Amino acid sequence: MDLADFHITDSILAIPHENNIVPLIIPGGCSGLLQPLDTTVNSKPFKEYLREETETYHDEHATIEDIGRWTISEKRIMTPHVVSCTWKAFCQQKQSLIVKAFRDVGVMLPIDGSQDGDIKIKGFTTSEIDIGN
């Protein structure tokens, strides 16, 4: 979880605790290091796919004038359906982008260090990235 005000309220932090989960709070400025999908996928490309899938769902399930009157239940059905379809299409068509996000932060590189020079982290030059043993 990041440091968004709504993430660090007592009521929100109690939920993982009640389920024996230790939440990890990610400090500001670390998304590029710890959340590679947040910096590549959860940006313009994914949102474009999401917009297209949402429009398709609306076209298939309602007329334009009906959309404003959808119930909470109808929206609860639509949301996971649209996100699921979006993620499936995105993974099929943008797999290289997802792989690149993990390679850039070193998650998918060989552990022998032979490709550590391929690490690219936003805000850091290659010479500033020091990989230890």
Side-chain angles (χ1 to χ4, degrees), residues 100 102-122 124-132:
K100 182 181 181 320
F102 283 97
R103 287 186 60 80
D104 284 353
V105 296
V107 173
M108 291 184 63
L109 296 179
I111 60 171
D112 65 7
S114 62
Q115 295 179 15
D116 286 354
D118 293 346
I119 296 174
K120 296 173 188 68
I121 300 171
K122 185 177 177 181
F124 292 90
T125 64
T126 305
S127 62
E128 292 176 302
I129 301 171
D130 184 24
I131 309 297

PDB file of all heavy atoms in Angstrom, residues 100 102-122 124-132:
ATOM      1  N   LYS A 100       8.878  -6.241 -19.807  1.00  0.00           N
ATOM      2  CA  LYS A 100       9.850  -5.146 -19.723  1.00  0.00           C
ATOM      3  C   LYS A 100       9.777  -4.446 -18.367  1.00  0.00           C
ATOM      4  O   LYS A 100      10.808  -4.090 -17.781  1.00  0.00           O
ATOM      5  CB  LYS A 100       9.625  -4.135 -20.850  1.00  0.00           C
ATOM      6  CG  LYS A 100      10.616  -2.989 -20.856  1.00  0.00           C
ATOM      7  CD  LYS A 100      10.319  -2.012 -21.966  1.00  0.00           C
ATOM      8  CE  LYS A 100      11.287  -0.849 -22.041  1.00  0.00           C
ATOM      9  NZ  LYS A 100      11.713  -0.274 -20.790  1.00  0.00           N
ATOM     10  N   PHE A 102       9.108  -5.672 -15.457  1.00  0.00           N
ATOM     11  CA  PHE A 102       9.814  -6.476 -14.457  1.00  0.00           C
ATOM     12  C   PHE A 102      11.314  -6.568 -14.743  1.00  0.00           C
ATOM     13  O   PHE A 102      12.127  -6.577 -13.823  1.00  0.00           O
ATOM     14  CB  PHE A 102       9.192  -7.871 -14.363  1.00  0.00           C
ATOM     15  CG  PHE A 102       7.903  -7.870 -13.587  1.00  0.00           C
ATOM     16  CD1 PHE A 102       6.686  -7.821 -14.244  1.00  0.00           C
ATOM     17  CD2 PHE A 102       7.912  -7.890 -12.206  1.00  0.00           C
ATOM     18  CE1 PHE A 102       5.495  -7.811 -13.530  1.00  0.00           C
ATOM     19  CE2 PHE A 102       6.720  -7.875 -11.491  1.00  0.00           C
ATOM     20  CZ  PHE A 102       5.516  -7.836 -12.142  1.00  0.00           C
ATOM     21  N   ARG A 103      11.684  -6.602 -16.009  1.00  0.00           N
ATOM     22  CA  ARG A 103      13.115  -6.634 -16.351  1.00  0.00           C
ATOM     23  C   ARG A 103      13.789  -5.327 -15.951  1.00  0.00           C
ATOM     24  O   ARG A 103      14.908  -5.336 -15.447  1.00  0.00           O
ATOM     25  CB  ARG A 103      13.308  -6.886 -17.841  1.00  0.00           C
ATOM     26  CG  ARG A 103      13.019  -8.306 -18.284  1.00  0.00           C
ATOM     27  CD  ARG A 103      13.362  -8.523 -19.759  1.00  0.00           C
ATOM     28  NE  ARG A 103      14.757  -8.284 -20.057  1.00  0.00           N
ATOM     29  CZ  ARG A 103      15.748  -9.146 -19.839  1.00  0.00           C
ATOM     30  NH1 ARG A 103      15.481 -10.304 -19.297  1.00  0.00           N
ATOM     31  NH2 ARG A 103      16.983  -8.850 -20.165  1.00  0.00           N
ATOM     32  N   ASP A 104      13.116  -4.218 -16.190  1.00  0.00           N
ATOM     33  CA  ASP A 104      13.716  -2.910 -15.900  1.00  0.00           C
ATOM     34  C   ASP A 104      14.093  -2.744 -14.433  1.00  0.00           C
ATOM     35  O   ASP A 104      15.058  -2.055 -14.112  1.00  0.00           O
ATOM     36  CB  ASP A 104      12.788  -1.766 -16.329  1.00  0.00           C
ATOM     37  CG  ASP A 104      12.770  -1.542 -17.829  1.00  0.00           C
ATOM     38  OD1 ASP A 104      13.574  -2.186 -18.549  1.00  0.00           O
ATOM     39  OD2 ASP A 104      11.942  -0.734 -18.287  1.00  0.00           O
ATOM     40  N   VAL A 105      13.339  -3.345 -13.526  1.00  0.00           N
ATOM     41  CA  VAL A 105      13.678  -3.227 -12.099  1.00  0.00           C
ATOM     42  C   VAL A 105      14.479  -4.433 -11.603  1.00  0.00           C
ATOM     43  O   VAL A 105      14.779  -4.540 -10.418  1.00  0.00           O
ATOM     44  CB  VAL A 105      12.434  -3.000 -11.202  1.00  0.00           C
ATOM     45  CG1 VAL A 105      11.781  -1.677 -11.538  1.00  0.00           C
ATOM     46  CG2 VAL A 105      11.454  -4.145 -11.292  1.00  0.00           C
ATOM     47  N   GLY A 106      14.822  -5.351 -12.511  1.00  0.00           N
ATOM     48  CA  GLY A 106      15.686  -6.462 -12.165  1.00  0.00           C
ATOM     49  C   GLY A 106      14.999  -7.709 -11.672  1.00  0.00           C
ATOM     50  O   GLY A 106      15.673  -8.681 -11.323  1.00  0.00           O
ATOM     51  N   VAL A 107      13.684  -7.733 -11.640  1.00  0.00           N
ATOM     52  CA  VAL A 107      12.969  -8.883 -11.102  1.00  0.00           C
ATOM     53  C   VAL A 107      13.115 -10.111 -11.999  1.00  0.00           C
ATOM     54  O   VAL A 107      13.187 -11.234 -11.503  1.00  0.00           O
ATOM     55  CB  VAL A 107      11.474  -8.548 -10.874  1.00  0.00           C
ATOM     56  CG1 VAL A 107      10.677  -9.771 -10.473  1.00  0.00           C
ATOM     57  CG2 VAL A 107      11.343  -7.465  -9.818  1.00  0.00           C
ATOM     58  N   MET A 108      13.176  -9.926 -13.299  1.00  0.00           N
ATOM     59  CA  MET A 108      13.227 -11.073 -14.212  1.00  0.00           C
ATOM     60  C   MET A 108      14.607 -11.265 -14.832  1.00  0.00           C
ATOM     61  O   MET A 108      14.735 -11.844 -15.891  1.00  0.00           O
ATOM     62  CB  MET A 108      12.176 -10.908 -15.316  1.00  0.00           C
ATOM     63  CG  MET A 108      10.761 -11.033 -14.816  1.00  0.00           C
ATOM     64  SD  MET A 108       9.547 -10.965 -16.140  1.00  0.00           S
ATOM     65  CE  MET A 108       9.937 -12.414 -17.103  1.00  0.00           C
ATOM     66  N   LEU A 109      15.641 -10.804 -14.171  1.00  0.00           N
ATOM     67  CA  LEU A 109      16.990 -10.979 -14.703  1.00  0.00           C
ATOM     68  C   LEU A 109      17.667 -12.159 -14.014  1.00  0.00           C
ATOM     69  O   LEU A 109      17.307 -12.516 -12.890  1.00  0.00           O
ATOM     70  CB  LEU A 109      17.807  -9.700 -14.484  1.00  0.00           C
ATOM     71  CG  LEU A 109      17.309  -8.459 -15.228  1.00  0.00           C
ATOM     72  CD1 LEU A 109      18.183  -7.263 -14.907  1.00  0.00           C
ATOM     73  CD2 LEU A 109      17.271  -8.700 -16.725  1.00  0.00           C
ATOM     74  N   PRO A 110      18.659 -12.755 -14.671  1.00  0.00           N
ATOM     75  CA  PRO A 110      19.373 -13.866 -14.041  1.00  0.00           C
ATOM     76  C   PRO A 110      20.019 -13.430 -12.720  1.00  0.00           C
ATOM     77  O   PRO A 110      20.515 -12.305 -12.608  1.00  0.00           O
ATOM     78  CB  PRO A 110      20.456 -14.226 -15.061  1.00  0.00           C
ATOM     79  CG  PRO A 110      20.018 -13.622 -16.353  1.00  0.00           C
ATOM     80  CD  PRO A 110      19.168 -12.441 -16.000  1.00  0.00           C
ATOM     81  N   ILE A 111      20.021 -14.327 -11.753  1.00  0.00           N
ATOM     82  CA  ILE A 111      20.574 -13.961 -10.436  1.00  0.00           C
ATOM     83  C   ILE A 111      22.093 -13.924 -10.440  1.00  0.00           C
ATOM     84  O   ILE A 111      22.697 -13.442  -9.480  1.00  0.00           O
ATOM     85  CB  ILE A 111      20.070 -14.902  -9.325  1.00  0.00           C
ATOM     86  CG1 ILE A 111      20.485 -16.345  -9.606  1.00  0.00           C
ATOM     87  CG2 ILE A 111      18.572 -14.775  -9.152  1.00  0.00           C
ATOM     88  CD1 ILE A 111      20.206 -17.286  -8.446  1.00  0.00           C
ATOM     89  N   ASP A 112      22.722 -14.365 -11.525  1.00  0.00           N
ATOM     90  CA  ASP A 112      24.185 -14.354 -11.577  1.00  0.00           C
ATOM     91  C   ASP A 112      24.751 -12.960 -11.857  1.00  0.00           C
ATOM     92  O   ASP A 112      25.963 -12.760 -11.866  1.00  0.00           O
ATOM     93  CB  ASP A 112      24.704 -15.358 -12.611  1.00  0.00           C
ATOM     94  CG  ASP A 112      24.318 -15.011 -14.048  1.00  0.00           C
ATOM     95  OD1 ASP A 112      23.749 -13.927 -14.299  1.00  0.00           O
ATOM     96  OD2 ASP A 112      24.589 -15.852 -14.933  1.00  0.00           O
ATOM     97  N   GLY A 113      23.897 -11.973 -12.080  1.00  0.00           N
ATOM     98  CA  GLY A 113      24.350 -10.596 -12.289  1.00  0.00           C
ATOM     99  C   GLY A 113      24.786 -10.295 -13.704  1.00  0.00           C
ATOM    100  O   GLY A 113      25.197  -9.171 -14.005  1.00  0.00           O
ATOM    101  N   SER A 114      24.684 -11.265 -14.591  1.00  0.00           N
ATOM    102  CA  SER A 114      25.178 -11.082 -15.954  1.00  0.00           C
ATOM    103  C   SER A 114      24.424 -10.022 -16.756  1.00  0.00           C
ATOM    104  O   SER A 114      24.947  -9.502 -17.738  1.00  0.00           O
ATOM    105  CB  SER A 114      25.142 -12.414 -16.711  1.00  0.00           C
ATOM    106  OG  SER A 114      23.803 -12.899 -16.813  1.00  0.00           O
ATOM    107  N   GLN A 115      23.204  -9.683 -16.332  1.00  0.00           N
ATOM    108  CA  GLN A 115      22.429  -8.681 -17.059  1.00  0.00           C
ATOM    109  C   GLN A 115      22.028  -7.503 -16.172  1.00  0.00           C
ATOM    110  O   GLN A 115      21.100  -6.770 -16.496  1.00  0.00           O
ATOM    111  CB  GLN A 115      21.183  -9.343 -17.669  1.00  0.00           C
ATOM    112  CG  GLN A 115      21.522 -10.369 -18.730  1.00  0.00           C
ATOM    113  CD  GLN A 115      20.278 -11.032 -19.312  1.00  0.00           C
ATOM    114  OE1 GLN A 115      19.160 -10.567 -19.136  1.00  0.00           O
ATOM    115  NE2 GLN A 115      20.477 -12.125 -20.010  1.00  0.00           N
ATOM    116  N   ASP A 116      22.722  -7.313 -15.072  1.00  0.00           N
ATOM    117  CA  ASP A 116      22.393  -6.207 -14.171  1.00  0.00           C
ATOM    118  C   ASP A 116      22.472  -4.852 -14.858  1.00  0.00           C
ATOM    119  O   ASP A 116      21.792  -3.909 -14.471  1.00  0.00           O
ATOM    120  CB  ASP A 116      23.296  -6.218 -12.937  1.00  0.00           C
ATOM    121  CG  ASP A 116      22.936  -7.326 -11.956  1.00  0.00           C
ATOM    122  OD1 ASP A 116      21.912  -8.006 -12.181  1.00  0.00           O
ATOM    123  OD2 ASP A 116      23.678  -7.493 -10.973  1.00  0.00           O
ATOM    124  N   GLY A 117      23.262  -4.761 -15.898  1.00  0.00           N
ATOM    125  CA  GLY A 117      23.361  -3.504 -16.652  1.00  0.00           C
ATOM    126  C   GLY A 117      22.079  -3.151 -17.383  1.00  0.00           C
ATOM    127  O   GLY A 117      21.907  -2.026 -17.846  1.00  0.00           O
ATOM    128  N   ASP A 118      21.155  -4.112 -17.489  1.00  0.00           N
ATOM    129  CA  ASP A 118      19.873  -3.872 -18.158  1.00  0.00           C
ATOM    130  C   ASP A 118      18.853  -3.186 -17.255  1.00  0.00           C
ATOM    131  O   ASP A 118      17.779  -2.802 -17.708  1.00  0.00           O
ATOM    132  CB  ASP A 118      19.261  -5.187 -18.654  1.00  0.00           C
ATOM    133  CG  ASP A 118      20.071  -5.820 -19.773  1.00  0.00           C
ATOM    134  OD1 ASP A 118      20.937  -5.126 -20.342  1.00  0.00           O
ATOM    135  OD2 ASP A 118      19.827  -6.999 -20.076  1.00  0.00           O
ATOM    136  N   ILE A 119      19.181  -3.061 -15.970  1.00  0.00           N
ATOM    137  CA  ILE A 119      18.227  -2.455 -15.033  1.00  0.00           C
ATOM    138  C   ILE A 119      18.063  -0.978 -15.354  1.00  0.00           C
ATOM    139  O   ILE A 119      19.039  -0.250 -15.511  1.00  0.00           O
ATOM    140  CB  ILE A 119      18.687  -2.665 -13.575  1.00  0.00           C
ATOM    141  CG1 ILE A 119      18.696  -4.163 -13.248  1.00  0.00           C
ATOM    142  CG2 ILE A 119      17.793  -1.898 -12.605  1.00  0.00           C
ATOM    143  CD1 ILE A 119      19.276  -4.498 -11.892  1.00  0.00           C
ATOM    144  N   LYS A 120      16.815  -0.553 -15.457  1.00  0.00           N
ATOM    145  CA  LYS A 120      16.486   0.846 -15.760  1.00  0.00           C
ATOM    146  C   LYS A 120      15.390   1.280 -14.791  1.00  0.00           C
ATOM    147  O   LYS A 120      14.249   0.843 -14.909  1.00  0.00           O
ATOM    148  CB  LYS A 120      15.988   0.977 -17.195  1.00  0.00           C
ATOM    149  CG  LYS A 120      17.021   0.635 -18.239  1.00  0.00           C
ATOM    150  CD  LYS A 120      16.407   0.620 -19.627  1.00  0.00           C
ATOM    151  CE  LYS A 120      17.349   0.113 -20.663  1.00  0.00           C
ATOM    152  NZ  LYS A 120      17.675  -1.299 -20.543  1.00  0.00           N
ATOM    153  N   ILE A 121      15.746   2.126 -13.861  1.00  0.00           N
ATOM    154  CA  ILE A 121      14.789   2.592 -12.868  1.00  0.00           C
ATOM    155  C   ILE A 121      14.623   4.098 -13.032  1.00  0.00           C
ATOM    156  O   ILE A 121      15.607   4.847 -13.009  1.00  0.00           O
ATOM    157  CB  ILE A 121      15.250   2.247 -11.433  1.00  0.00           C
ATOM    158  CG1 ILE A 121      15.401   0.726 -11.299  1.00  0.00           C
ATOM    159  CG2 ILE A 121      14.268   2.787 -10.413  1.00  0.00           C
ATOM    160  CD1 ILE A 121      16.039   0.273 -10.018  1.00  0.00           C
ATOM    161  N   LYS A 122      13.386   4.503 -13.226  1.00  0.00           N
ATOM    162  CA  LYS A 122      13.086   5.918 -13.440  1.00  0.00           C
ATOM    163  C   LYS A 122      13.695   6.752 -12.306  1.00  0.00           C
ATOM    164  O   LYS A 122      13.528   6.447 -11.131  1.00  0.00           O
ATOM    165  CB  LYS A 122      11.567   6.129 -13.474  1.00  0.00           C
ATOM    166  CG  LYS A 122      11.150   7.528 -13.808  1.00  0.00           C
ATOM    167  CD  LYS A 122       9.641   7.640 -13.889  1.00  0.00           C
ATOM    168  CE  LYS A 122       9.229   9.066 -14.155  1.00  0.00           C
ATOM    169  NZ  LYS A 122       7.785   9.215 -14.210  1.00  0.00           N
ATOM    170  N   PHE A 124      16.962   7.196 -11.846  1.00  0.00           N
ATOM    171  CA  PHE A 124      18.320   6.750 -11.543  1.00  0.00           C
ATOM    172  C   PHE A 124      19.085   6.533 -12.843  1.00  0.00           C
ATOM    173  O   PHE A 124      18.554   5.975 -13.800  1.00  0.00           O
ATOM    174  CB  PHE A 124      18.316   5.419 -10.775  1.00  0.00           C
ATOM    175  CG  PHE A 124      17.760   5.518  -9.389  1.00  0.00           C
ATOM    176  CD1 PHE A 124      16.402   5.330  -9.161  1.00  0.00           C
ATOM    177  CD2 PHE A 124      18.583   5.792  -8.315  1.00  0.00           C
ATOM    178  CE1 PHE A 124      15.876   5.403  -7.887  1.00  0.00           C
ATOM    179  CE2 PHE A 124      18.074   5.877  -7.028  1.00  0.00           C
ATOM    180  CZ  PHE A 124      16.713   5.687  -6.809  1.00  0.00           C
ATOM    181  N   THR A 125      20.348   6.945 -12.854  1.00  0.00           N
ATOM    182  CA  THR A 125      21.199   6.613 -13.987  1.00  0.00           C
ATOM    183  C   THR A 125      21.777   5.237 -13.734  1.00  0.00           C
ATOM    184  O   THR A 125      21.813   4.757 -12.603  1.00  0.00           O
ATOM    185  CB  THR A 125      22.348   7.632 -14.147  1.00  0.00           C
ATOM    186  OG1 THR A 125      23.193   7.554 -12.987  1.00  0.00           O
ATOM    187  CG2 THR A 125      21.817   9.052 -14.312  1.00  0.00           C
ATOM    188  N   THR A 126      22.262   4.593 -14.790  1.00  0.00           N
ATOM    189  CA  THR A 126      22.822   3.251 -14.662  1.00  0.00           C
ATOM    190  C   THR A 126      23.967   3.236 -13.655  1.00  0.00           C
ATOM    191  O   THR A 126      24.100   2.296 -12.876  1.00  0.00           O
ATOM    192  CB  THR A 126      23.307   2.738 -16.033  1.00  0.00           C
ATOM    193  OG1 THR A 126      22.211   2.830 -16.958  1.00  0.00           O
ATOM    194  CG2 THR A 126      23.791   1.321 -15.975  1.00  0.00           C
ATOM    195  N   SER A 127      24.784   4.287 -13.623  1.00  0.00           N
ATOM    196  CA  SER A 127      25.924   4.314 -12.696  1.00  0.00           C
ATOM    197  C   SER A 127      25.486   4.464 -11.243  1.00  0.00           C
ATOM    198  O   SER A 127      26.239   4.122 -10.321  1.00  0.00           O
ATOM    199  CB  SER A 127      26.881   5.443 -13.067  1.00  0.00           C
ATOM    200  OG  SER A 127      26.232   6.700 -12.964  1.00  0.00           O
ATOM    201  N   GLU A 128      24.275   4.961 -10.992  1.00  0.00           N
ATOM    202  CA  GLU A 128      23.785   5.107  -9.618  1.00  0.00           C
ATOM    203  C   GLU A 128      23.208   3.809  -9.048  1.00  0.00           C
ATOM    204  O   GLU A 128      22.981   3.696  -7.865  1.00  0.00           O
ATOM    205  CB  GLU A 128      22.693   6.180  -9.553  1.00  0.00           C
ATOM    206  CG  GLU A 128      23.180   7.578  -9.813  1.00  0.00           C
ATOM    207  CD  GLU A 128      22.040   8.569  -9.833  1.00  0.00           C
ATOM    208  OE1 GLU A 128      21.114   8.388 -10.653  1.00  0.00           O
ATOM    209  OE2 GLU A 128      22.079   9.525  -9.032  1.00  0.00           O
ATOM    210  N   ILE A 129      22.965   2.833  -9.919  1.00  0.00           N
ATOM    211  CA  ILE A 129      22.377   1.575  -9.481  1.00  0.00           C
ATOM    212  C   ILE A 129      23.519   0.629  -9.119  1.00  0.00           C
ATOM    213  O   ILE A 129      24.286   0.191  -9.977  1.00  0.00           O
ATOM    214  CB  ILE A 129      21.482   0.964 -10.578  1.00  0.00           C
ATOM    215  CG1 ILE A 129      20.354   1.932 -10.944  1.00  0.00           C
ATOM    216  CG2 ILE A 129      20.923  -0.377 -10.130  1.00  0.00           C
ATOM    217  CD1 ILE A 129      19.551   1.528 -12.149  1.00  0.00           C
ATOM    218  N   ASP A 130      23.655   0.339  -7.842  1.00  0.00           N
ATOM    219  CA  ASP A 130      24.714  -0.521  -7.339  1.00  0.00           C
ATOM    220  C   ASP A 130      24.089  -1.803  -6.812  1.00  0.00           C
ATOM    221  O   ASP A 130      23.418  -1.790  -5.785  1.00  0.00           O
ATOM    222  CB  ASP A 130      25.496   0.214  -6.233  1.00  0.00           C
ATOM    223  CG  ASP A 130      26.660  -0.595  -5.731  1.00  0.00           C
ATOM    224  OD1 ASP A 130      27.160  -1.466  -6.459  1.00  0.00           O
ATOM    225  OD2 ASP A 130      27.089  -0.347  -4.579  1.00  0.00           O
ATOM    226  N   ILE A 131      24.326  -2.881  -7.512  1.00  0.00           N
ATOM    227  CA  ILE A 131      23.774  -4.164  -7.134  1.00  0.00           C
ATOM    228  C   ILE A 131      24.766  -4.868  -6.229  1.00  0.00           C
ATOM    229  O   ILE A 131      25.922  -5.057  -6.581  1.00  0.00           O
ATOM    230  CB  ILE A 131      23.477  -5.050  -8.378  1.00  0.00           C
ATOM    231  CG1 ILE A 131      22.661  -4.296  -9.411  1.00  0.00           C
ATOM    232  CG2 ILE A 131      22.817  -6.343  -7.962  1.00  0.00           C
ATOM    233  CD1 ILE A 131      21.288  -3.861  -8.949  1.00  0.00           C
ATOM    234  N   GLY A 132      24.296  -5.270  -5.054  1.00  0.00           N
ATOM    235  CA  GLY A 132      25.169  -5.967  -4.103  1.00  0.00           C
ATOM    236  C   GLY A 132      25.068  -7.456  -4.250  1.00  0.00           C
ATOM    237  O   GLY A 132      24.372  -7.986  -5.103  1.00  0.00           O
TER     238      GLY A 132
END
